[in-house]
Amino acid sequence: MKSNAAGFAGSLRTALLLGIAATAFTLPAAAMAQDGNLDGQAEEEALAAPPADDGQIEEYGNEIVVTATKREQTLQDVPVAVSVATADTIERAVVRDLKDLQTLVPALRVTQLQSSANTNFIIRGFGNGANNAGIEPSVGVFVDGVYRSRTAAQIGDLPDVQRVEVLRGPQSTLFGKNASAGVISLVTREPSFKFHGNVEASYGNYDAMVLKGYVTGPVTDSIAASLAAGINKRDGTVKDLGYGGRTNERDRWFTRGQLRFEPSEALKIRLIADYDKIDEACCAVVNLRRSGATTALEALGGKVNDFNTPFGNVAYSNFPSSNKIENWGVSGQADYSVGPLKITSITAYRSSQSRTNQDSDFTSADLIGQNAGSLDIDTFTQELRLSAGFMDVFNAMLGGFFFDEKVKAGNALTYGKAFRPYVNLLSGGGVTLLETQVLGLPLNTFQQPGQGLFDNFAMDNTAWSVFGNVDVKLGNKLTLILGGNYTHDAKDVRSDVTSTDAFSGLNLVAIGNGVIRNTVIAQQVGAAMSLGTSANASQIATFAGAQPAIYSAIVSGATAFANANQTNPAVNSLLGLKPLQFLPPFANFPNAVESGKTRDGDFSWTARLAWDVTDSLNAYFSYATGFKASSFNLSRDSRPLAADLPALTSAGLLVNNLTTGSRFAGPEDAKVLELGLKANFGIASANLTVFKQTITGFQSNTFTGTGFALANAGKQTTKGVEFDGTMKAGKELTLNLSLVWLDPEYDSFVASPLGDASGTRPAGIPGLATTIGATWNHELGNGDRVIARGDWHYESPVAILEGLPGFIQRNALGQVVSYQPAFDASRPFKREVSEINASLTYAMANGLEFSVWGRNLTNDRYLVSMFDSVAQSGSISGYPNQPRTWGGSVRFKW
């Protein structure tokens, strides 16, 4: 990548010019602004917000207060790369869940695959996790200070959201082990001592219905309470012509209650309890490339969509993919102040249960009978911190964090009624021949309905950390910030995996050896007896008794020939059946060789220098490190390391057809060098960040269709520029621009699941992502308002993934011998995003509002992800994005 430096410099110049131009353009307007008046958007936010009391954070004007450093600072003053979406922005942009948030924050990517419970967050091109229960995300998600190790993405339905902060880059110093790529912090409104609330009802295409509400007020002079609840239902956006239903639907509801105790000015306690439930069909998969396997399943009456029209909102399954998910949790936060000291304690317990079933062949043929998964996660967290501030000259924080989580993951992948006829057709009757003629078994012994692989994993994860942070003023304008965090993480994993698929457990090399040997003996004995054909068993026995010496020589020669050619497909024809051994036996662990344990410890630190250039301009320079603990592959693709094979062999722990891979990936270590500028000129604001971020040992998690291939990348580096700007273009018009330029590269990734990927560009990371938006806020004479908002979100073309395991050339041991990018030469699989979102609201002075809205109004269609089609060699499947949605809302605020 010789042009990286030039490209980086050019893009940096462009971003700097954009920032300078925006600043220069707004300075004259700022000079003419009248003091003491809220601008149009600020007035709207003030009207929409509940009455402020000592428990609310004001977000009027351009002063947005954030807690990115675990203490309140304005967005301009905090020396961290952070993007903020306020409640008003979320409402006007119709952000229903965290997936929609990426249109407001271009540096963030959110994907949902496989089921409603699986959501991945990626910041600056780094992040993974939620699709594999053994891997916690590199991007930490926090709700009101409580860490959510998993999320089902419906958090955005909460009607009491105050703001969402997206912290970019490693945040391990203050947020711990799972923030090596960044943090998403969702903050809800505390209960208020002034009675107010809101209720909203929406209806849209696909019969979408959303009803949610929030109410808060005083219980006594020292106790306030709030209650939020909502329901979100929608027909599926995709017709499934296999079973005659619809998929990609919404059917979820939630409730959330809070209590706020303030018995004195020094003590505040906040208690939160929440419950949510999902019961919906998701997620549609379409065929992207046909193969001979597609023809075979069609010969049996099965169907797939036309691969030339993957965005026709049509899919084929023989049963709906179900998702039944329950989440609940309780938390308590206590803040106690004594003079300049403040003690904060946050205690939380969360539980999540998920039951899913997927027709994983994604055809109307009954190939896969079930892919039923169960996941139970119970998490306890405790954070305690002490902070102190002295005359705005010195601020310090010292804290500790404890994490205890238990994960139980199970899965049953079994064959359906059509699977045996399907594989017999693919093999040209080879399976039946092997079964009846070679092994002498009854017909249809193999691949019976209900046979398959049944896996169960249990993981116990405990971690603790101590952290500290100090801000010291070095004069009137310069502040030095130093922070450190030591984290210790321990994981213990147990597997209990059994296979009832006898065919996949056959050693076709050894069986083929016997077939070759016996065939050669029959041929040579027939020749010795001048039979003109191969001898039968009776004739061989007669010859062996009559000519023992000759027969012994024939046997020795046949044995040597068989041993030399047992792995040669041209001689051992049974090897042609090996691709049909989909569910081979599993080597369980821990065992005598593999402990199933990891113990990690790391010290992360941060150093920042913040400079208040003027009252309107701030700059900072920072260096930070991050840490993510080891992760386990809790899937059927978990395999021992190649280095462990000799020891496993000596211990007698090998099973037939065992290939090498990885049980776990080691820790991630992140580093970022960052330069930031933050400007606020009253009617215009701009943030510019230039960074170089590196993760060593990045935990790459390649989805294979039914499982995951987990491996550490040696080193991945991303250089980038981020720009956020907002400008008042008049009394009623506000413009905003967010732009991210990224240049990622695998500096070293020799052990990629797809071969040596060193020097290549990681897939799925667009070089350019931008959102351009505008808000028009017009006040009518009677106090009513008309508010129009629109934005255009664009991502430049990018390869969807580096490669597909099914198209990689491997040797007999399963080792990669050549790296092959994942594309069809005639139609490259790339993604380019261009979406327009808009809303129009009539807000009455009495609190009643009417809105019409639309997301992805241009119906831009693209693929979110791709994978090798399950049990269909040479075929490719993928997940399409959501089509255009639109609707109307009525809300009332009081």
Side-chain angles (χ1 to χ4, degrees):
M1 306 183 75
K2 301 294 185 183
S3 62
N4 283 358
F8 181 79
S11 296
L12 175 57
R13 285 194 298 269
T14 301
L16 287 170
L17 287 173
L18 278 172
I20 293 170
T23 302
F25 179 77
T26 56
L27 280 174
M32 299 190 321
Q34 294 183 3
D35 293 334
N37 293 324
L38 291 173
D39 58 55
Q41 184 178 10
E43 290 179 32
E44 178 219 334
E45 292 176 351
L47 288 172
D53 59 34
D54 53 349
Q56 301 292 353
I57 296 176
E58 291 188 339
E59 297 177 358
Y60 305 158
N62 291 311
E63 291 297 327
I64 297 176
V65 177
V66 298
T67 53
T69 57
K70 295 199 174 184
R71 67 185 181 92
E72 295 178 3
Q73 291 178 277
T74 66
L75 183 59
Q76 179 185 354
D77 291 336
V78 64
V80 176
V82 55
S83 300
V84 179
T86 65
D88 180 72
T89 301
I90 290 171
E91 181 179 284
R92 302 298 179 214
V94 199
V95 173
R96 293 296 188 197
D97 54 43
L98 288 180
K99 288 194 303 176
D100 298 332
L101 192 63
Q102 61 190 335
T103 61
L104 301 179
V105 184
L108 172 69
R109 282 197 55 79
V110 186
T111 60
Q112 180 179 328
L113 306 174
Q114 279 193 291
S115 77
S116 301
N118 293 330
T119 307
N120 281 344
F121 303 100
I122 299 171
I123 295 178
R124 292 177 172 174
F126 298 101
N128 58 17
N131 283 346
N132 190 323
I135 307 175
E136 296 169 279
S138 301
V139 176
V141 177
F142 292 79
V143 180
D144 291 325
V146 175
Y147 175 60
R148 298 280 187 98
S149 62
R150 307 294 186 278
T151 175
Q154 82 280 17
I155 291 174
D157 286 334
L158 297 179
D160 57 346
V161 171
Q162 181 171 322
R163 66 183 181 275
V164 179
E165 303 174 14
V166 180
L167 285 64
R168 309 186 297 271
Q171 307 294 329
S172 296
T173 301
L174 293 179
F175 290 92
K177 62 170 183 160
N178 295 314
S180 59
V183 163
I184 299 173
S185 177
L186 190 149
V187 181
T188 68
R189 296 188 182 277
E190 293 184 353
S192 172
F193 286 99
K194 294 183 179 180
F195 178 72
H196 64 270
N198 63 76
V199 64
E200 176 182 333
S202 298
Y203 183 82
N205 60 335
Y206 301 105
D207 204 24
M209 293 177 286
V210 175
L211 178 64
K212 59 184 180 179
Y214 168 74
V215 62
T216 183
V219 178
T220 68
D221 290 342
S222 61
I223 302 175
S226 68
L227 179 65
I231 187 170
N232 185 342
K233 298 176 71 71
R234 185 191 69 195
D235 290 344
T237 59
V238 176
K239 295 180 181 178
D240 196 307
L241 300 182
Y243 67 89
R246 303 187 74 96
T247 190
N248 286 15
E249 65 181 11
R250 285 285 184 268
D251 189 353
R252 49 185 66 177
W253 66 272
F254 73 91
T255 184
R256 191 170 194 264
Q258 298 190 56
L259 285 175
R260 171 183 169 191
F261 299 87
E262 291 195 13
S264 68
E265 292 184 359
L267 177 63
K268 180 173 72 173
I269 299 173
R270 184 184 186 189
L271 303 178
I272 305 173
D274 66 88
Y275 177 86
D276 63 79
K277 186 174 183 178
I278 297 175
D279 185 359
E280 58 194 32
C282 184
C283 302
V285 169
V286 295
N287 180 266
L288 302 173
R289 175 176 174 175
R290 292 176 58 92
S291 68
T294 312
T295 304
L297 68 89
E298 287 176 340
L300 298 171
K303 293 182 178 180
V304 298
N305 62 283
D306 182 355
F307 75 99
N308 289 310
T309 57
F311 305 120
N313 296 331
V314 170
Y316 284 88
S317 304
N318 61 288
F319 64 86
S321 293
S322 59
N323 301 263
K324 299 180 185 295
I325 304 157
E326 291 186 65
N327 300 289
W328 65 271
V330 292
S331 67
Q333 176 172 338
D335 296 285
Y336 184 69
S337 299
V338 181
L341 301 178
K342 181 179 180 180
I343 300 173
T344 298
S345 172
I346 303 176
T347 307
Y349 180 83
R350 299 207 58 80
S351 181
S352 177
Q353 294 82 41
S354 172
R355 302 293 182 268
T356 61
N357 193 11
Q358 184 184 63
D359 182 15
S360 293
D361 59 80
F362 307 114
T363 75
S364 64
D366 186 17
L367 302 182
I368 302 298
Q370 65 171 337
N371 185 10
S374 64
L375 179 62
D376 297 313
I377 303 175
D378 295 295
T379 309
F380 172 80
T381 58
Q382 172 64 57
E383 181 175 359
L384 186 66
R385 59 179 186 261
L386 172 66
S387 57
F390 300 95
M391 302 177 64
D392 199 30
V393 174
F394 176 84
N395 288 281
M397 179 188 300
L398 179 66
F401 180 77
F402 177 75
F403 173 90
D404 182 26
E405 183 170 83
K406 299 186 184 303
V407 177
K408 293 182 179 179
N411 188 263
L413 181 61
T414 62
Y415 297 132
K417 295 178 181 178
F419 193 82
R420 172 55 189 269
Y422 169 71
V423 296
N424 213 43
L425 185 61
L426 288 178
S427 65
V431 173
T432 295
L433 182 65
L434 170 67
E435 187 177 59
T436 59
Q437 300 299 315
V438 176
L439 300 177
L441 298 173
L443 182 65
N444 293 327
T445 297
F446 297 141
Q447 290 119 358
Q448 291 184 8
Q451 291 182 349
L453 193 74
F454 304 85
D455 60 67
N456 290 280
F457 294 90
M459 182 174 74
D460 296 331
N461 182 196
T462 58
W464 58 266
S465 62
V466 291
F467 58 90
N469 196 74
V470 60
D471 299 7
V472 181
K473 282 278 191 180
L474 303 178
N476 293 330
K477 295 182 176 293
L478 209 58
T479 302
L480 176 65
I481 302 137
L482 298 173
N485 179 305
Y486 179 80
T487 295
H488 180 270
D489 182 86
K491 289 186 174 73
D492 295 82
V493 177
R494 303 173 300 281
S495 73
D496 180 14
V497 182
T498 58
S499 175
T500 59
D501 177 16
F503 175 77
S504 292
L506 295 176
N507 187 337
L508 296 178
V509 173
I511 296 173
N513 181 295
V515 172
I516 296 169
R517 175 181 176 277
N518 293 338
T519 300
V520 171
I521 290 173
Q523 290 174 344
Q524 294 195 2
V525 169
M529 297 177 67
S530 302
L531 299 177
T533 186
S534 297
N536 58 33
S538 176
Q539 293 168 333
I540 292 174
T542 301
F543 181 81
Q547 302 288 342
I550 298 176
Y551 178 73
S552 178
I554 290 175
V555 169
S556 296
T559 301
F561 180 79
N563 291 340
N565 291 276
Q566 61 184 358
T567 59
N568 184 353
V571 179
N572 185 359
S573 60
L574 295 183
L575 295 180
L577 301 178
K578 194 170 183 62
L580 304 179
Q581 294 181 305
F582 297 110
L583 302 174
F586 188 90
N588 281 302
F589 68 100
N591 51 51
V593 178
E594 301 169 293
S595 68
K597 297 180 179 182
T598 58
R599 300 292 184 267
D600 302 316
D602 181 83
F603 180 76
S604 301
W605 60 278
T606 300
R608 292 191 179 97
L609 196 61
W611 178 29
D612 297 334
V613 183
T614 68
D615 290 342
S616 302
L617 181 64
N618 301 70
Y620 70 90
F621 178 77
S622 70
Y623 179 84
T625 67
F627 167 70
K628 178 182 174 183
S630 297
S631 292
F632 273 89
N633 190 350
L634 303 188
S635 82
R636 65 185 62 87
D637 290 319
S638 174
R639 296 287 184 268
L641 296 171
D644 288 335
L645 277 184
L648 288 169
T649 302
S650 299
L653 297 174
L654 288 186
V655 295
N656 285 344
N657 303 323
L658 179 65
T659 57
T660 60
S662 69
R663 300 290 196 189
F664 66 93
E668 289 182 359
D669 291 306
K671 299 176 183 178
V672 65
L673 194 65
E674 200 168 85
L675 173 65
L677 294 174
K678 296 193 173 190
N680 190 333
F681 303 105
I683 65 169
S685 62
N687 301 319
L688 177 66
T689 307
V690 182
F691 68 91
K692 179 180 180 182
Q693 185 169 329
T694 300
I695 290 187
T696 303
F698 176 69
Q699 294 172 3
S700 172
N701 190 35
T702 303
F703 181 47
T704 63
T706 60
F708 304 87
L710 178 64
N712 284 106
K715 184 179 179 182
Q716 179 181 336
T717 298
T718 298
K719 293 172 286 188
V721 180
E722 299 163 330
F723 176 81
D724 291 291
T726 301
M727 182 183 68
K728 289 292 297 180
K731 181 180 179 181
E732 299 177 335
L733 183 62
T734 302
L735 306 177
N736 63 276
L737 167 66
S738 296
L739 182 147
V740 177
W741 175 82
L742 299 175
D743 181 20
E745 181 181 12
Y746 285 129
D747 302 274
S748 174
F749 197 1
V750 177
S752 159
L754 308 169
D756 186 357
S758 302
T760 65
R761 182 187 180 99
I765 307 173
L768 177 67
T770 184
T771 297
I772 301 173
T775 301
W776 179 66
N777 190 332
H778 176 67
E779 183 177 358
L780 303 177
N782 59 358
D784 295 353
R785 292 178 175 277
V786 176
I787 306 164
R789 188 191 188 283
D791 64 69
W792 173 58
H793 178 71
Y794 175 77
E795 297 176 12
S796 60
V798 63
I800 296 174
L801 73 173
E802 287 99 19
L804 291 167
F807 291 83
I808 301 302
Q809 300 297 316
R810 301 176 184 270
N811 60 21
L813 297 177
Q815 298 168 327
V816 176
V817 295
S818 68
Y819 178 82
Q820 178 180 342
F823 62 84
D824 185 322
S826 62
R827 47 185 299 213
F829 290 114
K830 288 192 174 183
R831 174 177 60 236
E832 182 177 16
V833 178
S834 179
E835 296 182 349
I836 294 177
N837 310 298
S839 68
L840 178 64
T841 300
Y842 183 85
M844 302 174 66
N846 62 5
L848 187 63
E849 297 184 1
F850 301 89
S851 298
V852 291
W853 50 266
R855 294 195 61 83
N856 191 14
L857 288 172
T858 55
N859 201 34
D860 182 46
R861 305 307 304 273
Y862 53 87
L863 295 170
V864 177
S865 183
M866 296 163 40
F867 55 92
D868 293 305
S869 299
V870 178
Q872 300 162 64
S873 178
S875 291
I876 300 174
S877 299
Y879 289 94
N881 75 316
Q882 183 169 277
R884 173 174 49 234
T885 56
W886 51 265
S889 303
V890 179
R891 67 182 65 89
F892 179 63
K893 302 176 181 179
W894 69 91

